[in-house]
Amino acid sequence: MSENSFRNSGIAAVAALAGVSTGTVSKALNGTGQLRESTRLRVRAAAEEVGWLPNGAARSIRSGRTYTVGVITTDSYGRFSIPILRGVEDALGLGEMLCFLCDSRDDPIREQHYVRTLLARQVDGIIAVGRKVDPRTPLAENLPVPVIYAFAPSTDPQDCSITADERGGARRAVDHLVKTGRRRIAHITGLENHASAALRAEGFLAAMASQGLEPVGDVWYGSWSEEWGHNGVRALLANHPDVDAIFCGSDQIARGAAYELERHGRSIPDDVALIGVDNWSPFTDGYRPHLSSVDLNLSTIGRRAGEALLSALDGMPRPGIHIVDCDLIVRESSGPRG
């Protein structure tokens, strides 16, 4: 049997098993077209069952693509980039695409080195991952491949950026606290010049106003640390001992706040309810009672960035800033009073 005959019979067998057309099989395995994720998964499972996958080298020659993507991150510790990368791989893996991960260490010169290196390797596209939501300048002008910005949006409105709804996450936290009977709510957060702190504070203040409530004191800005959680609560209780809930700008701050409340004889959640941000298990699960937290849905941001890149490669770019909703993960620290 000729190679072409083998190919045609193979793709026909996959199509028959998956219950789709041969064209859908091609799109699903090549990462092109607008298909449901369930369809791509079904086709992939059928291809594996019959032992048939398209030849990667031949596919690259036919399409003029290398089926590789560069991911440039500024997050050396991986706290934000790893969950985002998992989402990226979930989206790109269905199209048999591989990722080159590059850590710029927040160094513009190093970042430009990686841009040149990735272009020399003829990647099909680049995903730039930030470790905070402060807008960033584009990687470069007139790049020959599409670029998607994940978490940290591009300052160019013509670029495609996927980021989190920080304001919405804060509103969900406040609404939950009010529903559980809290009225004296404070906000202890991180560095005032960080976009995340500003956006979360905006969401907090807007939610308080919509509930007809005044915040306990001004927004308490400090650092993104457990130590600031201790110090912030100490200052808060000295000035406002009647506080009954605290929305913290990060899980680190929330755990420090929890220990300081404990030192002052305040029970959680009976006396003071607590909510953090990030849903980072070492902190949310590392204290009893477990801490409620706003989840930024980083994996979803990564998956949507990967999908946006596939769409751009398919001739359908998605310019603008695209917002991913945050979820509130409710645990014991913000439950009803006993």
Side-chain angles (χ1 to χ4, degrees):
M1 181 182 292
S2 70
E3 181 179 350
N4 284 339
S5 297
F6 177 79
R7 181 183 186 280
N8 291 335
S9 62
I11 197 170
V14 174
L17 183 59
V20 299
S21 68
T22 55
T24 298
V25 171
S26 178
K27 290 177 181 178
L29 297 180
N30 290 331
T32 60
Q34 298 296 300
L35 301 178
R36 292 189 180 91
E37 185 173 356
S38 59
T39 301
R40 292 187 190 275
L41 289 172
R42 189 167 75 251
V43 171
R44 178 63 185 273
E48 291 178 351
E49 185 171 339
V50 302
W52 184 88
L53 284 175
N55 180 274
R59 182 178 58 171
S60 294
I61 293 171
R62 289 193 303 270
S63 65
R65 288 165 52 182
T66 62
Y67 291 88
T68 57
V69 171
V71 178
I72 301 177
T73 177
T74 62
D75 177 22
S76 299
Y77 299 102
R79 168 65 190 92
F80 298 97
S81 63
I82 289 176
I84 291 174
L85 183 61
R86 287 184 186 136
V88 169
E89 290 184 325
D90 285 344
L92 299 184
L94 295 174
E96 296 287 297
M97 302 186 77
L98 299 176
C99 295
F100 293 119
L101 180 61
C102 307
D103 177 12
S104 73
R105 303 179 190 175
D106 224 2
D107 180 348
I109 295 176
R110 191 180 182 89
E111 181 177 82
Q112 289 306 304
H113 162 72
Y114 281 130
V115 170
R116 292 190 298 270
T117 300
L118 291 169
L119 292 178
R121 287 181 174 269
Q122 298 182 318
V123 295
D124 294 328
I126 298 174
I127 296 176
V129 178
R131 59 183 173 83
K132 52 187 179 179
V133 298
D134 297 69
R136 54 150 301 155
T137 56
L139 287 179
E141 293 184 1
N142 301 317
L143 286 175
V145 298
V147 178
I148 309 297
Y149 296 86
F151 203 50
S154 169
T155 54
D156 187 342
Q158 295 305 308
D159 288 332
C160 176
S161 302
I162 318 291
T163 191
D165 184 10
E166 303 256 14
R167 294 187 187 91
R171 288 195 297 269
R172 291 187 181 211
V174 171
D175 291 346
H176 167 72
L177 291 171
V178 173
K179 285 180 181 177
T180 59
R182 274 71 181 198
R183 296 294 182 271
R184 299 282 299 160
I185 307 172
H187 182 34
I188 299 177
T189 191
L191 295 167
E192 188 170 5
N193 63 350
H194 277 208
S196 285
L199 292 170
R200 293 167 194 176
E202 288 174 13
F204 168 78
L205 294 172
M208 292 290 287
S210 70
Q211 296 282 355
L213 299 174
E214 289 291 331
V216 175
D218 295 327
V219 174
W220 301 74
Y221 291 103
S223 64
W224 303 106
S225 69
E226 194 168 337
E227 182 181 8
W228 167 233
H230 284 277
N231 296 337
V233 164
R234 196 176 303 123
L236 175 62
L237 293 178
N239 290 277
H240 305 280
D242 57 345
V243 64
D244 65 8
I246 306 173
F247 170 48
C248 298
S250 74
D251 293 334
Q252 295 100 310
I253 295 172
R255 191 165 76 170
Y259 282 120
E260 193 62 29
L261 287 168
E262 186 180 301
R263 286 185 64 252
H264 283 79
R266 304 299 177 93
S267 173
I268 301 170
D270 290 345
D271 296 327
V272 181
L274 271 183
I275 296 178
V277 177
D278 292 332
N279 196 32
W280 195 4
S281 59
F283 289 91
T284 59
D285 299 344
Y287 182 82
R288 298 293 187 277
H290 291 166
L291 299 175
S292 297
S293 185
V294 175
D295 193 320
L296 301 177
N297 284 329
L298 298 175
S299 291
T300 301
I301 289 174
R303 178 171 54 80
R304 293 194 181 171
E307 292 169 349
L309 183 59
L310 290 175
S311 181
L313 291 171
D314 215 23
M316 293 177 287
R318 303 173 184 175
I321 296 178
H322 304 268
I323 305 297
V324 172
D325 289 338
C326 298
D327 291 324
L328 176 62
I329 310 302
V330 177
R331 299 186 179 90
E332 296 95 327
S333 73
S334 67
R337 292 183 171 96

